[in-house]
């Protein structure tokens, strides 16, 4: 599969802080590529260097075969939704789309974009009157107005409620289905796991891992979880003798048992029943990208 983005040994420093530290990766045509990690990991700095909005201190970047520092050559071929966006409060939705379309010799049909992004009933609505989700949909429309080959989404769903976040996920999939390569940054691991074909995990400016979500989860041997609640006054039974169990964590009445193996869940349940311990709300939790992140970095994600 051809590569539309090639990054080699990218470095960016701010005073004494090395924000991006010799990262290298490629992005394939037609994929949804995710760059994930905690806030402050270097995601936004890296993506802004790739977009040509910042100058790298070292390394090479090629976007559609061009150096992104030459913005004029790429302006009509890439679309950008920035982490911090703003428009004049009284600017209407259709006015914003027509304004941005005027910047390009060959722009998308703005009425079609408004309909496609579910903003038809907000066409004459001022920016200040839009909800958070509607504003994000407008910014997606603005990023797509040049009919780009690659579109960049930076922390697209931060601050949105769960319903609006899922709506954004559907829109991102639609953008890819229309033939556009998508590059997104996020610190929501579930978002990357649901959307991305491949995921680059970055922390402290360095690449921690790069693969498909399935491969990342499967190859690291991350433990499974069995979670249940104990009735009031009931102590957690000792499970150290169960071979499949790695560790047990208890917070109040909630117990989380971690382990591996095909018979992990059944062996724990059998041990509980043998000890005549009642338990409530039993459920298994499969490993996730967040588990992978914790396994690789040894700490929880920063907010």
């Amino acid at each position: 599969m051809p590569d539309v983005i090639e990054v080699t040994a990218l470095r960016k420093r701010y005073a004494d802080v090395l924000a991006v530290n010799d990262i290298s990766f490629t992005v394939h045509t037609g994929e949804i590529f995710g760059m994930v990690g905690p806030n402050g990991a270097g995601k936004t700095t890296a993506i802004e260097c790739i977009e040509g909005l910042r100058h790298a201190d070292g390394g090479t970047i090629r976007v559609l075969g061009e150096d992104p520092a030459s913005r004029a050559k790429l302006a009509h071929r890439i679309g950008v939704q920035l982490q911090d966006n703003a428009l004049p409060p009284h600017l209407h939705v259709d006015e914003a789309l027509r304004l941005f379309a005027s910047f390009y010799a060959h722009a998308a049909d703005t009425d079609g974009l408004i309909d496609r992004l579910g903003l038809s009933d907000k066409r004459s609505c001022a920016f200040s009157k839009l909800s958070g989700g509607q504003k994000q949909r407008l910014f997606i429309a603005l990023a797509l107005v040049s009919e780009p080959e690659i579109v960049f989404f930076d922390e697209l769903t931060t601050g949105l409620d769960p319903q609006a976040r899922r709506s954004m996920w559907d829109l991102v999939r639609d953008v890819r289905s229309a033939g556009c390569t998508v590059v997104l940054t996020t610190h929501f691991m579930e978002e990357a796991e649901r959307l991305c074909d491949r995921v680059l995990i970055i922390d402290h400016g360095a690449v921690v891992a790069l693969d498909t979500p399935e491969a990342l989860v499967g190859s690291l041997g991350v433990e499974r979880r069995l979670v249940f609640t104990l009735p009031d006054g009931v102590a957690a039974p000792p499970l150290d003798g169960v071979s499949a169990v790695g560790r047990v964590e208890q917070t109040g009445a909630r117990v989380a048992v971690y382990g591996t193996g095909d018979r992990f869940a059944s062996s724990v349940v059998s041990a509980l029943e043998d000890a005549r311990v009642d338990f409530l709300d039993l459920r298994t939790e499969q490993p996730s990208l967040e588990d992978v992140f914790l396994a690789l970095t040894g700490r929880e994600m920063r907010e």
Side-chain angles (χ1 to χ4, degrees), residues 224-232 234-240 242 245 247-259 264-273 275-285:
R224 296 164 60 196
R225 280 190 297 265
L226 188 69
V227 181
F228 57 88
T229 303
L230 295 170
D232 292 340
V234 175
L239 296 170
D240 299 339
V242 180
V245 173
R247 69 186 192 280
V248 179
E249 296 178 356
Q250 183 171 359
T251 305
R254 182 183 181 276
V255 180
V257 185
Y258 296 79
F264 164 64
S266 61
S267 63
V268 172
V269 171
S270 295
L272 293 174
E273 291 176 341
R276 298 183 182 278
V277 173
D278 293 328
F279 51 87
L280 307 170
D281 304 325
L282 179 73
R283 67 184 186 277
T284 59
E285 298 179 353

Side-chain angles (χ1 to χ4, degrees), residues 25-294:
F25 62 91
T26 60
V27 177
H28 305 324
T29 301
E31 73 175 338
I32 299 178
F33 182 89
M35 186 181 296
V36 304
N39 289 330
K43 305 184 303 295
T44 295
T45 295
I47 213 75
E48 289 181 350
C49 289
I50 296 167
E51 294 163 345
L53 299 178
R54 293 187 186 274
H55 291 288
D57 296 327
T60 59
I61 306 170
R62 289 293 179 269
V63 178
L64 297 169
E66 303 286 352
D67 182 346
S70 303
R71 290 280 297 164
K73 295 181 178 179
L74 288 172
H76 66 289
R77 302 182 69 187
I78 67 172
V80 176
Q81 171 269 326
L82 299 175
Q83 184 173 348
D84 296 315
N85 283 302
L87 289 172
H90 301 298
L91 188 68
H92 292 179
V93 168
D94 56 351
E95 292 173 336
L97 264 296
R98 290 200 302 271
L99 173 64
F100 274 63
S102 69
F103 301 154
Y104 303 99
H106 302 286
D109 171 42
T110 57
D111 288 334
L113 272 180
I114 288 174
D115 294 339
R116 179 179 168 192
L117 274 297
L119 292 168
S120 298
D121 59 343
K122 299 296 180 181
R123 186 182 305 271
S124 300
C125 184
F127 176 74
S128 61
K129 301 298 183 181
L130 299 176
S131 69
Q134 290 163 349
K135 288 178 180 177
Q136 289 293 58
R137 278 185 273 160
L138 174 57
F139 291 132
I140 291 177
L142 295 176
L144 297 175
V145 75
S146 66
E147 296 188 324
E149 297 168 58
I150 307 172
V151 65
F152 296 88
F153 296 132
D154 191 9
E155 302 289 359
L156 180 64
T157 63
T158 297
L160 299 184
D161 60 56
Q163 185 179 29
R165 180 172 294 137
R166 298 302 174 94
S167 176
M168 290 300 106
W169 294 356
D170 290 339
L171 287 173
V172 170
R173 294 187 186 100
D174 290 344
V175 169
R176 193 266 293 275
S177 296
C180 190
T181 300
V182 177
V183 179
L184 63 87
T185 70
T186 180
H187 65 278
F188 294 119
M189 290 297 185
E190 181 191 7
E191 182 165 284
E193 192 165 7
R194 296 289 189 92
L195 283 178
C196 297
D197 298 299
R198 290 189 302 141
V199 174
L200 181 148
I201 299 178
I202 184 172
D203 193 26
H204 292 298
V207 173
V208 177
L210 171 59
D211 213 325
T212 66
E214 297 80 10
L216 286 171
V217 172
S219 66
L220 294 177
V222 179
E223 296 171 311
R224 296 164 60 196
R225 280 190 297 265
L226 188 69
V227 181
F228 57 88
T229 303
L230 295 170
D232 292 340
V234 175
L239 296 170
D240 299 339
V242 180
S243 60
V245 173
R247 69 186 192 280
V248 179
E249 296 178 356
Q250 183 171 359
T251 305
R254 182 183 181 276
V255 180
V257 185
Y258 296 79
T260 57
D262 295 337
R263 294 185 54 79
F264 164 64
S266 61
S267 63
V268 172
V269 171
S270 295
L272 293 174
E273 291 176 341
D274 290 345
R276 298 183 182 278
V277 173
D278 293 328
F279 51 87
L280 307 170
D281 304 325
L282 179 73
R283 67 184 186 277
T284 59
E285 298 179 353
Q286 297 300 316
S288 66
L289 270 183
E290 187 165 348
D291 295 305
V292 173
F293 186 92
L294 292 173

